[in-house]
């Protein structure tokens, strides 16, 4: 801009003859026309005025090209006068047409908001117009889902989905019906099929819609879990969606082949939609069928090609040469195969590619590996997930599960199955080689299992490896023998069997690691406080904040794509009525185990709570001490009258697998190893540790009381005969004994032994043993201890927690993180469930330590611990176990932390602050005076609450855009819950007008919602009074463009006309512009207010006089006054 201006100024200083030769008039016309048509004239006004001066110099008789007339209903000379315009539905639709029929990526969210107000009957024809911007489909689907989840109208979602699927079908129908395999690295044959494909893929107009529809499909796939049955994928849509996803990858590969590098967001859109499509069981099953072999091979070739294009540097290979294995077992002797199997070479190539890609998951696509540095971080998880889904397809699955080393040892099975690629299970003798066995375990852990048969075959193979190795050794064998290869293979086999059995516990699809994660049953009880009137209000605002915290800090183990808000926690409901449905994370507010990192889906001790074991398996804890009691002490222990019926609860079978038999077999096998019947034989110590560790995990799948009895007996016996110095074993043995004892109910004799063991272990110098003991303590505490046990055990625990936390609170970063997390979890659980046993001193001490930890710098307190502590404190507030003093300490702490630099830490503190205010732990919140007994809030409590609100306004002003957006979303509801409108209006309007406000667009929505609340409660006169009162403040704002924009937002917010009210998103999207359109919009909304809101002549005069003071000629205010004069001529007031 500056260079161009300087050049024009130099031309103006030259002679006339000279400048005409350098810049002829035709060239000048062309430049000015381009600036007008591209909208650059408005942005570069100085350059344009210099060009106008240049024209006056060289050709004064010519005129500059006129500004481009847009489709905007308020643009151009021929439009009716603004004051005569009546904003109705047709006018509104023409306005939305202007915003939504342009090929632009700007203001898409505002466009979706505008579309939401178009009447349902006209929406489909509007959105299916050929000029409609397809980029709006994804935001429309997102907005539609949020409206459905708020129990509002689903018209926007239904229409957007219908339009999306119509476009998908139209694109798919352009292609020949008979699909052929797309091989990016092979030259195209000159056949009608490939010629047609080259024409379509090479068409620049074809590419962009495919990308936009991929984005929309990804949004649809993500929202499926929240949609009613009528909006799920219908059978007649499956084929088109699948074919579209395949062709979108083909078109991306075609562009890469022709060195037309796609934008990273385009690459992301296509891979996300592919990843999410393969996660849908109906679409994956369709792809797995024989009719879609060519599509499968195309998909595999394209994904492989894209990985090489983005991750492999020239001259390099995806895998090192020694890992690459060109195998002859499939397709080597074609005579062996059924001649009906078509295109054998494609299938062979697909098998080899997938095997290579699965191998690359350990290198190129493994976070932290040096070869992963060359690939963009956002691509790694999505490509990993796509490879997992592809490798599970029956066409390639059997071949992919075979470790490459096996072929080198000469194994040559006969392939079979419907694709001719299914191989028999690998013979056990091959797996007795440690390196091959490790490779095999990597593959079964990575790929999971696809059917009950495959699970049983893998189970048999692993048991075969165990059984063929001698387990117990003679006493004479040397120590070196104990560490021998066979012990290592046994340890690997035990680990593999454990993870195989646990994979049956993954949900929603057991055995499928691409979409499923281990079930969790948190020990924390549901919070009754959330069911009160204020609790429900808190859930709404706290849920919005929670979503943002999840998006910022979640470890994202369960999210492959880049989309922020698709997190769900695999916690199935255990009540029979809900048939094991998953609960969304919004409903699980603060219920996940406190010590678990947000979004970490790995296996942890305490994965399944003791209560859920009782409830899910109908186990009743029996205690001799309670047999004779008339009154059952254990009110909390759920004993269902009839066994639960949900699939999650019929625990003996999961996904058709007989889990009860598997866990029973392992329990008996392990018992024989732990306590050999022949005293002269013994099991290697390293294997005993591994077996106890396995038992600790597998016991999550036990379904009968006698299994826990056998586990308890075996392990206590082992404890007696095994040297107590073996700390590596103790770290598993202690929590395992505690878990079994807790499920059995901790009767008195058991409790004494367990308490002694815990006391001893807590004094150990071995950190993992103490962490194990703390996990054991959490299990034991969950089973509602008898008074006598509590008196013996709880003082020991509380002393340990206080002394340890006191020593490390100020420097958590130099201490073992897991230890700190479990200590905090145990402390919070004690305060919540055993408040009388621990006493107020313990509670105050813990809260003080937590304050020290949370107030530390970001270096001294890691974020995992920060979030754990804040969530624990929030639970304590909601469980109503804190004294008033403790509550006030938390309020101060949260307000202090909301001002932190780090967005995710400030958001977590905001959650705590909201909880403090809603639970009424503050003095008293100034409430609405509509309650029958409500007293007028005293001025002090209003001042206290106003201080809290100031903190929120500060966060909008000083925070990052993501924070400002979230605070602006919760602010109107928060203000409505706590204040009478007159108390906060001044603050809201002042913040909106402040020149220090970097996000006026967010504040505009706050003003709008506050005014709408007043309208709906019949207080429109208050809105009018505030507008009149504030007008002069608005007109003094600079620059004029911002003053005009602020006034437009203000008048729209105050409007009672549905069509004026609906244009707020459009006005927000034009922030800072001062084109004729903006002036006309300003006049239109001001006249609407003048006509419909002002009743008194005095008020009309006051309204005009405000603008008369600032109305200089050519200013928007001058134009408004002219319009008002015309209004007076035509309208009788």
């Amino acid at each position: 801009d500056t260079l161009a201006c300087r050049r024009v100024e130099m031309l103006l200083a030259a002679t006339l003859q000279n400048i005409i030769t350098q810049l002829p008039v035709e060239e000048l016309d062309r430049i000015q026309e381009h600036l007008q048509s591209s909208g650059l004239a408005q942005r570069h006004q100085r350059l344009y005025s210099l060009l106008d001066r240049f024209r006056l110099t060289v050709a004064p008789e010519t005129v500059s090209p006129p500004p481009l007339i847009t489709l905007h209903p308020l643009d151009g000379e021929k439009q009716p006068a603004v004051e005569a315009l009546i904003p109705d539905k047709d006018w509104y639709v023409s306005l939305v047409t202007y915003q939504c029929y342009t090929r632009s990526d700007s203001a898409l969210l505002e466009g979706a908001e505008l579309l939401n107000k178009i009447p349902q009957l006209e929406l489909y024809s509007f959105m299916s117009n050929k000029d409609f911007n397809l980029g709006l489909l994804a935001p429309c689907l997102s907005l539609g889902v949020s409206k459905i989840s708020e129990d509002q109208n689903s018209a926007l979602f239904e229409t957007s989905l219908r339009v999306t699927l119509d476009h998908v079908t139209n694109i798919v129908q352009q292609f020949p019906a008979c699909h052929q395999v797309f091989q990016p690295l092979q030259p195209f044959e000159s056949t009608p099929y490939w010629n047609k494909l080259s024409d379509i893929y090479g068409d620049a107009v074809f590419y962009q819609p495919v990308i936009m529809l991929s984005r929309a499909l990804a949004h649809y796939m993500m929202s499926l879990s929240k949609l009613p049955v009528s909006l799920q994928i219908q059978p007649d849509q499956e084929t088109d969606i699948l074919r579209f996803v395949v062709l979108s990858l083909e078109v991306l590969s075609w562009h890469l082949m022709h060195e037309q590098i796609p934008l990273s967001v385009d690459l992301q859109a296509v891979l996300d939609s592919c990843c999410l499509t393969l996660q849908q069981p109906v679409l994956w099953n369709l792809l797995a069928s024989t009719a879609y072999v060519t599509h499968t091979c195309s998909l595999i070739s394209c994904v492989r090609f894209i990985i090489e294009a983005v991750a492999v540097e020239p001259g390099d290979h995806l895998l090192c040469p020694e890992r690459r294995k060109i195998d002859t077992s499939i397709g080597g002797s074609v005579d062996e195969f059924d001649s009906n199997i078509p295109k054998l070479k494609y299938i062979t190539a697909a098998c080899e590619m997938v095997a290579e890609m699965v191998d690359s998951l350990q290198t190129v696509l493994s976070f932290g590996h040096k070869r992963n540095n060359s690939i963009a971080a956002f691509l790694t998880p999505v490509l990993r997930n796509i490879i997992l889904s592809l490798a599970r397809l029956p066409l390639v699955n059997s071949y992919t599960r075979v470790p490459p080393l096996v072929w080198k040892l000469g194994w040559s099975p006969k392939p079979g199955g419907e694709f001719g690629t299914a191989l028999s299970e690998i013979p056990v003798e091959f797996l007795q080689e440690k390196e091959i066995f490790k490779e095999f375990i990597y593959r079964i852990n990575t790929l999971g299992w696809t059917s009950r048969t495959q699970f049983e075959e893998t189970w048999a193979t692993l048991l075969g490896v165990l059984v063929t190795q001698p387990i117990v050794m003679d006493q004479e064998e040397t120590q070196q023998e104990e560490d021998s290869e066979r012990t290592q293979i046994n340890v690997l086999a035990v680990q593999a069997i454990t993870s195989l059995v646990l994979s049956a516990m993954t949900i929603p699809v057991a055995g499928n690691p691409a979409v499923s994660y281990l079930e969790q049953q948190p020990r924390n009880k549901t919070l009754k406080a959330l069911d009160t009137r204020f609790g429900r209000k808190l859930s709404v605002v706290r849920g919005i904040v929670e979503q943002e915290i999840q998006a910022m800090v979640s470890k994202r183990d369960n999210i492959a794509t880049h989309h922020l808000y698709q997190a769900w926690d695999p916690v199935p409901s255990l009540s029979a009525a809900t048939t094991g449905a998953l609960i969304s994370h919004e409903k699980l507010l603060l219920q996940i185990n406190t010590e678990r990192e947000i979004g970490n889906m790995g296996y942890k001790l305490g994965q399944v709570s003791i209560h859920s074991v009782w409830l899910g398996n109908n186990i009743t804890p029996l205690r001799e001490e309670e047999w004779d009691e008339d009154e059952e002490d254990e009110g909390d222990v759920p004993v269902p009258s009839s066994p639960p019926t949900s699939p999650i609860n019929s625990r003996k079978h999961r996904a058709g697998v007989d889990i009860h038999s598997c866990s029973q077999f392992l329990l008996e096998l392990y018992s024989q190893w732990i306590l050999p019947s022949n005293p002269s034989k013994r099991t290697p110590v390293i294997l005993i540790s591994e077996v106890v560790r396995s038992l600790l995990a597998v016991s999550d799948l036990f379904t009968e009381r006698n299994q826990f009895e056998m586990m308890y007996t075996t392990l206590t016996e082992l404890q007696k005969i095994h040297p107590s110095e073996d700390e590596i074993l103790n770290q598993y043995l202690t929590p395992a004994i505690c878990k079994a004892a807790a499920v059995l109910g901790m009767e008195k004799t058991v409790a004494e032994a367990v308490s002694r063991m815990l006391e001893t272990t807590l004094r150990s110098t071995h950190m993992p043993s103490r962490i194990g003991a703390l996990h054991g303590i959490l299990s034991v505490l969950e089973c509602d201890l008898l008074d006598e046990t509590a008196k013996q055990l709880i003082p020991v625990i509380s002393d340990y927690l206080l002394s340890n936390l006191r020593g490390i609170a100020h420097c958590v970063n130099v201490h073992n993180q897991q230890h700190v997390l479990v200590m905090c979890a145990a402390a919070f659980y004690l305060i919540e469930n055993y408040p009388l046993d621990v006493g107020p001193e313990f509670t105050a001490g813990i809260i003080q330590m937590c304050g020290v930890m949370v107030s530390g710098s970001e270096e001294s307190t890691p974020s995992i611990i920060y979030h754990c502590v804040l969530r624990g404190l929030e639970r304590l507030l909601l469980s109503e176990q804190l004294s008033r003093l403790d509550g006030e300490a938390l309020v101060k702490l949260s307000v202090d932390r909301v001002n932190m630099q780090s967005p995710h830490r400030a958001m977590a503190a905001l959650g705590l602050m909201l909880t403090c205010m809603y639970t009424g732990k503050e003095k008293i919140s100034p409430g609405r005076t509509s309650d029958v007994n409500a007293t007028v809030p005293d001025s002090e409590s209003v001042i206290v609450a106003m201080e809290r609100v100031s903190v929120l306004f500060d966060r909008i002003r000083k925070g990052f855009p993501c924070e400002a957006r979230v605070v602006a979303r919760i602010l109107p509801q928060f203000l409505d819950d706590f204040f009478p409108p007159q108390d906060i209006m001044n603050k809201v309007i002042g913040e909106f007008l402040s020149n220090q406000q970097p996000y006026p667009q967010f504040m505009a929505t706050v003003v709008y919602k506050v005014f709408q609340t007043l309208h709906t409660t019949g207080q429109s006169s208050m809105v009018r009074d505030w507008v009149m009162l504030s007008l002069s403040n608005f007109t003094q704002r600079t620059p004029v463009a911002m003053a005009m924009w602020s006034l437009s937002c203000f008048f729209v917010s105050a409007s009672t006309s549905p069509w004026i009210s609906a244009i707020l998103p459009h006005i927000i999207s034009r922030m800072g512009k001062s084109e004729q359109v903006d002036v006309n919009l300003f006049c239109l909304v001001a006249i609407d207010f003048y006509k419909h809101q002002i009743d008194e002549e005095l008020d009309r005069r006051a309204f005009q006089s405000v603008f008369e003071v600032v109305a200089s000629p050519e200013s928007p205010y001058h134009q408004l006054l002219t319009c008002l004069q015309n209004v007076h001529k035509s309208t009788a007031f």
Side-chain angles (χ1 to χ4, degrees):
D1 176 65
T2 313
L3 286 172
C5 288
R6 196 173 294 160
R7 179 81 182 115
V8 178
E9 284 166 346
M10 284 169 65
L11 286 173
L12 284 168
T15 62
L16 190 64
Q17 194 58 42
N18 199 352
I19 59 179
I20 288 175
T21 52
Q22 288 196 45
L23 184 61
V25 177
E26 299 77 35
E27 190 69 14
L28 177 66
D29 286 343
R30 209 166 59 77
I31 291 171
Q32 285 195 300
E33 277 167 14
H34 172 71
L35 287 172
Q36 288 286 13
S37 63
S38 60
L40 291 169
Q42 197 62 33
R43 195 184 305 169
H44 304 286
Q45 291 179 353
R46 179 167 167 251
L47 173 62
Y48 201 82
S49 66
L50 280 169
L51 290 170
D52 277 345
R53 270 176 59 196
F54 183 85
R55 182 182 289 279
L56 272 174
T57 311
V58 295
E61 71 287 352
T62 63
V63 289
S64 299
L68 190 72
I69 302 296
T70 63
L71 291 173
H72 198 289
L74 294 176
D75 198 7
E77 302 291 321
K78 296 176 184 171
Q79 302 298 344
V82 175
E83 62 272 16
L85 200 69
I86 299 170
D88 55 8
K89 185 195 70 179
D90 294 339
W91 176 83
Y92 178 75
V93 170
S94 66
L95 180 85
V96 184
T97 303
Y98 159 75
Q99 182 129 350
C100 299
Y101 284 10
T102 50
R103 298 274 175 273
S104 163
D105 284 342
S106 64
L108 293 178
L109 295 172
E110 286 83 359
E113 294 272 5
L114 291 170
L115 283 166
N116 191 34
K117 296 283 182 2
I118 290 183
Q120 187 171 351
L121 296 173
E122 298 175 30
L123 195 54
Y124 178 72
S125 60
F126 184 91
M127 292 178 76
S128 45
N129 187 299
K130 64 179 175 41
D131 294 323
F132 181 76
N133 181 3
L134 296 182
L136 284 160
L137 289 171
C140 282
L141 288 166
S142 284
L143 182 64
V145 171
S146 65
K147 296 294 177 200
I148 290 174
S149 57
E150 292 164 14
D151 296 328
Q152 292 182 18
N153 192 344
S154 61
L156 180 66
F157 186 88
E158 289 173 24
T159 311
S160 307
L161 177 60
R162 188 175 156 200
V163 171
T164 303
L165 294 174
D166 285 352
H167 281 289
V168 164
T169 304
N170 291 340
I171 284 180
V172 167
Q173 284 172 351
Q174 294 177 31
F175 288 78
C178 183
H179 182 263
Q180 293 184 28
V181 179
F182 185 94
Q183 292 177 298
L185 295 171
Q186 305 290 330
F188 282 176
E189 300 162 21
S190 183
T191 61
Y193 179 89
W194 293 111
N195 293 341
K196 173 146 192 177
L197 226 64
S198 295
D199 291 344
I200 297 175
Y201 288 167
D203 182 0
V205 179
F206 176 78
Y207 174 74
Q208 215 50 50
V210 169
I211 300 295
M212 290 172 182
L213 290 170
S214 294
R215 257 184 218 119
L217 270 184
H219 277 272
Y220 174 49
M221 299 293 167
M222 268 193 326
S223 57
L224 284 170
S225 60
K226 300 176 188 169
L227 298 176
V229 177
S230 59
L231 293 174
Q232 299 290 330
I233 302 171
Q234 302 303 313
D236 57 332
Q237 299 161 353
E238 292 167 9
T239 313
D240 286 347
I241 291 175
L242 193 58
R243 287 180 63 194
F244 175 81
V245 168
V246 173
L247 78 84
S248 66
L249 272 148
E250 289 181 0
V251 74
L252 201 62
S253 302
W254 195 93
H255 275 252
L256 284 165
M257 282 162 53
H258 292 81
E259 296 187 357
Q260 298 169 10
I261 309 300
L263 296 173
S264 57
V265 284
D266 295 351
L267 185 62
Q268 190 178 48
V270 172
L271 290 176
D272 279 359
S273 82
C274 172
C275 169
L276 292 161
T277 299
L278 292 173
Q279 287 182 2
Q280 299 307 319
V282 286
L283 298 172
W284 186 89
N285 289 336
L286 190 62
L287 188 65
S289 61
T290 44
Y292 283 84
V293 172
T294 56
H295 293 82
T296 303
C297 293
S298 271
L299 212 47
I300 290 167
S301 303
C302 291
V303 171
R304 163 67 203 269
F305 177 68
I306 289 167
I307 292 174
E308 293 229 307
V310 297
V312 182
E313 292 170 8
D316 208 348
H317 292 288
L318 189 60
L319 295 179
C320 312
E322 68 270 14
R323 297 287 298 174
R324 301 177 81 214
K325 152 78 192 61
I326 305 305
D327 165 48
T328 52
S329 71
I330 292 189
S333 48
V334 182
D335 314 338
E336 292 180 17
F337 294 105
D338 185 343
S339 57
N340 294 335
I341 300 170
K343 312 213 171 44
L344 200 59
K345 59 182 181 183
Y346 296 146
I347 294 176
T348 311
C351 288
E352 286 169 2
M353 281 180 195
V354 176
E356 202 172 331
M357 288 194 287
V358 167
D359 229 8
S360 76
L361 293 178
Q362 299 174 86
T363 55
V364 177
L365 291 171
S366 172
F367 272 126
H369 193 279
K370 63 178 189 293
R371 291 199 62 198
N372 183 244
N373 295 341
S374 58
I375 182 170
F378 73 88
L379 288 174
T380 300
V382 67
L383 285 170
R384 283 183 71 87
N385 200 276
I386 289 172
I387 292 170
L388 283 190
S389 295
L390 290 175
R392 290 171 54 79
L393 289 165
L395 177 74
V396 296
N397 183 249
S398 184
Y399 180 83
T400 310
R401 285 164 64 95
V402 178
L405 289 166
V406 172
W407 304 118
K408 292 186 177 175
L409 295 183
W411 184 50
S412 54
K414 186 168 172 35
E418 61 181 340
F419 299 106
T421 57
L423 307 173
S424 56
E425 282 294 304
I426 302 168
V428 169
E429 52 270 24
F430 286 116
L431 297 177
Q432 283 162 7
E433 288 286 331
K434 191 170 82 175
E435 288 311 309
I436 290 183
F437 193 39
K438 276 184 172 172
E439 288 279 343
F440 177 67
I441 292 171
Y442 162 72
R443 279 167 172 68
I444 60 172
N445 281 344
T446 305
L447 304 178
W449 37 278
T450 53
S451 63
R452 188 182 106 186
T453 313
Q454 197 176 58
F455 176 91
E456 288 166 355
E457 285 172 353
T458 309
W459 166 261
T461 304
L462 292 172
L463 279 185
V465 174
L466 270 183
V467 173
T468 52
Q469 302 283 333
I471 299 286
V472 290
M473 310 182 305
D474 292 325
Q475 296 282 20
E476 296 80 54
E477 287 194 57
T478 62
Q479 179 65 33
Q480 286 175 324
E481 280 297 312
E482 189 175 319
D483 294 332
S484 67
E485 182 121 337
R486 74 174 189 211
T487 307
Q488 291 180 25
I489 286 180
N490 283 330
V491 166
L492 285 172
V494 169
Q495 290 174 348
I497 274 192
T498 308
S499 65
L500 179 70
V501 172
L502 282 180
S503 70
M505 195 172 113
T506 55
I507 48 180
V509 186
N512 181 354
V515 297
S516 301
Y517 300 89
L518 286 167
E519 173 191 335
Q520 295 171 28
Q521 285 296 346
R523 72 179 76 85
N524 291 324
K525 302 180 178 75
T526 49
L527 292 159
K528 295 189 178 71
L530 288 174
D531 280 336
T532 60
R533 187 174 72 94
F534 256 67
R536 283 189 287 276
K537 289 182 170 185
L538 170 64
S539 297
V540 173
V541 290
R542 183 66 185 80
I544 292 169
V545 176
E546 179 64 13
Q547 206 179 38
E548 198 63 29
I549 296 171
Q550 297 261 355
M552 284 197 258
V553 297
S554 170
K555 191 159 176 270
R556 296 174 72 82
D557 280 353
N558 55 338
I559 308 177
T561 64
H562 79 285
H563 296 281
L564 294 178
Y565 301 127
Q566 70 181 90
W568 53 273
D569 291 307
V571 180
S573 167
L574 276 176
S575 66
T578 52
T579 60
L582 290 175
I583 309 172
S584 67
H585 70 284
E586 290 97 339
K587 291 201 177 71
L588 275 167
L589 197 54
L590 306 173
Q591 223 175 310
I592 298 298
N593 284 351
T594 322
E595 73 276 14
R596 184 182 281 273
E597 181 187 358
I598 300 172
N600 183 329
M601 297 290 152
Y603 183 84
K604 299 273 181 288
L605 291 178
Q607 186 83 16
V608 172
S609 70
I610 304 298
H611 272 74
S612 70
V613 173
W614 290 338
L615 178 63
N617 304 307
N618 217 5
I619 294 175
T620 314
L622 301 170
R623 299 173 178 166
E624 279 182 51
E625 294 80 10
E626 294 177 340
W627 286 356
D628 304 325
E629 292 181 18
D630 296 331
E631 220 175 301
E632 179 63 68
D633 275 350
E634 300 217 15
D636 281 344
V637 179
V639 184
S641 52
S642 60
T645 53
S646 77
I648 296 278
N649 300 329
S650 50
R651 306 218 156 212
K652 297 196 174 184
H653 285 80
R654 300 200 186 199
V657 174
D658 183 359
I659 278 304
H660 174 68
S661 301
C662 292
S663 60
Q664 185 64 31
F665 178 86
L666 288 180
L667 179 61
E668 289 167 11
L669 179 70
Y670 290 167
S671 299
Q672 291 166 22
W673 291 357
I674 291 170
L675 306 170
S677 47
N678 182 348
S680 64
K681 301 272 187 185
R682 64 188 181 85
T683 310
V685 176
I686 185 173
L687 187 56
I688 288 186
S689 288
E690 198 53 58
V691 161
V692 174
R693 182 171 170 232
S694 171
L695 200 52
L696 184 53
V698 171
S699 57
D700 282 344
L701 290 153
F702 286 173
T703 54
E704 291 180 0
R705 183 185 170 84
N706 59 16
Q707 291 179 297
F708 287 100
E709 285 169 349
M710 184 174 177
M711 173 179 170
Y712 180 75
T713 315
T714 307
L715 295 180
T716 43
E717 198 58 39
L718 169 66
Q719 196 181 28
K720 287 173 193 164
I721 62 170
H722 198 82
S724 59
E725 294 78 38
D726 186 353
E727 291 171 323
I728 290 175
L729 174 65
N730 279 342
Q731 65 180 319
Y732 306 124
L733 193 55
T734 307
I737 289 176
C738 289
K739 183 180 190 176
V743 172
L744 298 173
M746 282 284 281
E747 61 186 33
K748 196 173 174 190
T749 48
V750 171
E752 283 174 6
V754 169
S755 299
R756 278 198 306 276
M757 173 185 72
L758 287 171
E759 280 183 53
T760 312
T761 317
L762 285 177
R763 288 197 295 272
S764 163
T765 53
H766 185 238
M767 179 64 77
S769 295
R770 277 155 50 204
I771 293 173
L774 286 166
H775 277 292
I777 283 167
L778 282 164
S779 304
V780 166
L781 290 175
E782 214 193 313
C783 77
D784 309 310
L785 294 176
L786 293 166
D787 289 349
E788 211 167 309
T789 314
K791 282 196 184 87
Q792 180 189 353
L793 190 55
I794 286 178
V796 176
I797 303 169
S798 53
D799 287 351
Y800 176 85
L801 294 174
L802 269 180
S803 58
N804 275 273
L805 285 171
R806 201 163 269 138
I808 56 143
H810 59 285
C811 56
V812 185
N813 59 328
V814 297
H815 195 71
N816 180 300
Q817 186 166 280
Q818 199 52 39
H819 186 223
V820 180
L821 290 171
V822 187
M823 281 199 294
C824 290
F828 293 140
Y829 196 83
L830 274 172
I831 296 171
E832 185 180 335
N833 296 283
Y834 293 88
L836 300 174
D837 296 285
V838 292
E841 294 80 15
F842 176 79
T843 306
I846 291 294
I847 285 183
Q848 188 194 347
M849 294 309 109
C850 289
V852 174
M853 282 194 263
V854 171
S855 303
S857 66
E858 292 187 31
E859 289 73 34
S860 64
T861 306
S863 62
I864 293 180
I865 291 171
Y866 179 90
H867 286 283
C868 158
V869 170
L870 279 189
R871 296 170 98 73
L873 292 173
E874 233 178 302
R875 259 199 82 85
L876 292 184
L877 270 170
L878 287 164
S879 62
E880 297 169 348
Q881 297 295 358
L882 296 186
S883 68
R884 184 151 163 249
L885 276 172
D886 293 333
E888 284 174 2
L890 290 190
V891 173
K892 290 190 179 75
L893 180 70
S894 63
V895 171
D896 178 47
R897 298 290 85 197
V898 169
N899 294 317
M900 289 188 81
Q901 286 289 307
S902 158
H904 67 87
R905 291 189 186 222
M907 278 290 124
L910 173 62
L912 178 59
M913 188 183 111
L914 291 169
T915 304
C916 286
M917 291 196 71
Y918 276 91
T919 47
K921 282 294 173 198
E922 305 217 25
K923 230 174 152 183
I924 28 173
S925 307
R928 300 242 167 228
T929 48
S930 54
D931 296 1
V932 184
N933 302 323
T935 54
V936 178
D938 61 84
S939 57
E940 191 184 338
S941 62
V942 173
I943 291 165
V944 170
M946 283 305 278
E947 283 171 9
R948 310 284 173 264
V949 174
S950 301
V951 171
L952 293 182
F953 282 121
D954 277 358
R955 202 68 215 171
I956 293 185
R957 208 179 308 129
K958 296 173 185 170
F960 287 89
C962 60
E963 296 172 86
R965 189 185 69 247
V966 174
V967 177
R969 269 183 74 193
I970 64 168
L971 201 52
Q973 182 64 52
F974 175 78
L975 295 172
D976 187 44
D977 289 341
F978 280 89
F979 299 97
Q982 63 272 18
D983 289 356
I984 42 97
M985 203 59 101
N986 204 20
K987 186 80 179 156
V988 171
I989 294 170
E991 281 295 328
F992 177 45
L993 279 178
S994 167
N995 279 332
Q996 270 77 51
Q997 178 56 261
Y999 308 113
Q1001 70 276 31
F1002 295 145
M1003 281 311 302
T1005 59
V1006 174
V1007 172
Y1008 176 80
K1009 285 175 183 167
V1010 170
F1011 278 5
Q1012 291 306 308
T1013 305
L1014 288 172
H1015 282 315
T1016 50
T1017 53
Q1019 299 181 70
S1020 298
S1021 59
M1022 190 186 287
V1023 173
R1024 183 193 61 225
D1025 295 345
W1026 273 104
V1027 172
M1028 294 299 293
L1029 204 62
S1030 316
L1031 277 180
S1032 57
N1033 297 343
F1034 279 86
T1035 54
Q1036 286 158 23
R1037 189 170 189 181
T1038 54
V1040 172
M1042 274 312 286
M1044 182 171 72
W1045 176 82
S1046 308
L1047 277 163
S1048 301
C1049 292
F1050 206 43
F1051 288 136
V1052 167
S1053 303
S1055 176
T1056 49
S1057 151
W1059 301 113
I1060 291 286
S1061 193
I1063 67 171
L1064 182 74
H1066 174 67
I1067 289 182
I1068 287 177
S1069 70
R1070 299 189 64 88
M1071 184 172 80
K1073 293 184 178 178
S1074 59
E1075 297 166 19
Q1076 189 56 47
V1077 168
D1078 301 284
V1079 178
N1080 290 346
L1081 267 172
F1082 162 63
C1083 293
L1084 179 75
V1085 295
I1087 290 166
D1088 173 76
F1089 179 80
Y1090 186 80
K1091 279 182 178 175
H1092 300 119
Q1093 305 271 95
I1094 305 179
D1095 304 327
E1096 303 293 327
E1097 183 59 34
L1098 274 174
D1099 289 341
R1100 288 196 197 97
R1101 284 184 191 161
F1103 185 86
Q1104 287 189 34
S1105 65
V1106 170
F1107 293 105
E1108 282 165 0
V1109 174
V1110 287
S1112 58
E1114 304 297 315
S1115 77
Y1117 306 131
H1118 190 272
Q1119 189 168 330
L1120 172 61
L1121 288 171
T1122 311
C1123 293
L1124 290 177
Q1125 285 168 6
N1126 294 337
V1127 167
H1128 271 280
K1129 287 175 191 168
S1130 60
T1131 313
F1133 285 104

